[in-house]
Amino acid sequence: EKILPELDDEFAKDVSEFDTLEEYKNSIREKLTSEKQTEADRAFEDGVMTKLAEAVEAEIPDAMIDEFLDNQLESMRRQLAGYGMELGMYFNMLGTNEEGFRATMRPNAEKQVKITLALEKVAELEGLKPTDEEIENYYEDLAKRYGVEVAVAKENVPTESAVHDLNLRAASKLVIDNAIAEAPADGEDRGADKKDAAPKEKKTRKAKTEETPAAQESGDGAEETKKPAAKKSTTKKPKAEDAE
């Protein structure tokens, strides 16, 4: 017969850095709450970005989507090279090829391009511009991530790409901060554990865009596009509306 340990302070000391069982329980509770909140925040942000993509009224040129996929593949190629693996080997492991991969990823690529275009327009309308300190921090983080000197990071990622990436980040934060989570409609199934944690999708201000040059990728692998030629919006702040 299996004998379970007594759940007391001694048990807490043996399995954790805490002195009491109550402290140990509280730490577990806080960790679970934090994880659930992180999951809810991610779902919220994904919902906002989805609504933002839906707000883009322009038809995205195939060339732009193709270039986005090219950048994705090049980023994957660089990452896999660090593990001594070729892209073709990776596709073989997945039971596909480059053509199949492109077909599978194309819908998401179109969505990401639309998100980028919308965020570029928000950055333009809001006059977002990173400070010199933010740009320097960007290169320091990039250098740390790839284990290189800051000077090397600057050589491989043009300042224009760094500024563009920072503008997208700032615009994304602005949109998310101004989005509103809506409670589920009466009778809608919330889910056993999603009553308060998982926010509903939000909608931000519509931004009309025209066809733009194909998407580009910065040296750190972030998917980006050139600045779009967009129609002027009549509002400045993103608006939120009821979720479906």
Side-chain angles (χ1 to χ4, degrees), residues 40-92:
D41 289 343
R42 186 177 297 113
F44 183 91
E45 293 169 9
D46 287 346
V48 173
M49 292 299 107
T50 295
K51 288 295 184 181
L52 191 64
E54 293 172 355
V56 176
E57 298 179 345
E59 290 294 329
I60 305 301
D62 288 339
M64 180 177 289
I65 300 174
D66 288 336
E67 186 160 347
F68 181 93
L69 290 170
D70 288 342
N71 293 333
Q72 286 281 84
L73 287 169
E74 181 58 31
S75 179
M76 289 177 59
R77 185 176 287 108
R78 289 199 303 266
Q79 292 176 1
L80 291 170
Y83 296 100
M85 182 182 296
E86 296 181 354
L87 194 58
M89 295 171 57
Y90 179 71
F91 287 149
N92 287 336

Side-chain angles (χ1 to χ4, degrees), residues 20-37:
T20 68
L21 181 62
E22 187 63 26
E23 290 175 335
Y24 181 45
K25 287 182 177 180
N26 287 338
S27 72
I28 295 176
R29 187 179 299 108
E30 290 174 0
K31 181 180 180 181
L32 292 175
T33 300
S34 177
E35 291 176 351
K36 185 173 288 291
Q37 184 61 53

Side-chain angles (χ1 to χ4, degrees), residues 73-163:
L73 287 169
E74 181 58 31
S75 179
M76 289 177 59
R77 185 176 287 108
R78 289 199 303 266
Q79 292 176 1
L80 291 170
Y83 296 100
M85 182 182 296
E86 296 181 354
L87 194 58
M89 295 171 57
Y90 179 71
F91 287 149
N92 287 336
M93 292 174 58
L94 296 179
T96 186
N97 53 29
E98 182 173 332
E99 183 179 356
F101 175 83
R102 283 177 173 272
T104 300
M105 297 301 296
R106 195 171 189 81
N108 182 66
E110 180 177 359
K111 174 183 175 181
Q112 293 303 321
V113 170
K114 287 183 176 181
I115 290 173
T116 298
L117 294 176
L119 291 177
E120 285 176 338
K121 189 60 181 176
V122 170
E124 176 189 341
L125 293 174
E126 298 294 336
L128 301 179
K129 184 178 180 181
T131 64
D132 292 340
E133 181 180 3
E134 288 173 333
I135 295 174
E136 189 64 26
N137 289 338
Y138 176 92
Y139 281 116
E140 290 177 359
D141 292 341
L142 192 63
K144 185 177 181 180
R145 188 190 316 167
Y146 288 97
V148 298
E149 296 295 328
V150 174
V152 175
K154 290 182 177 181
E155 289 176 3
N156 286 276
V157 181
T159 302
E160 180 181 354
S161 295
V163 170

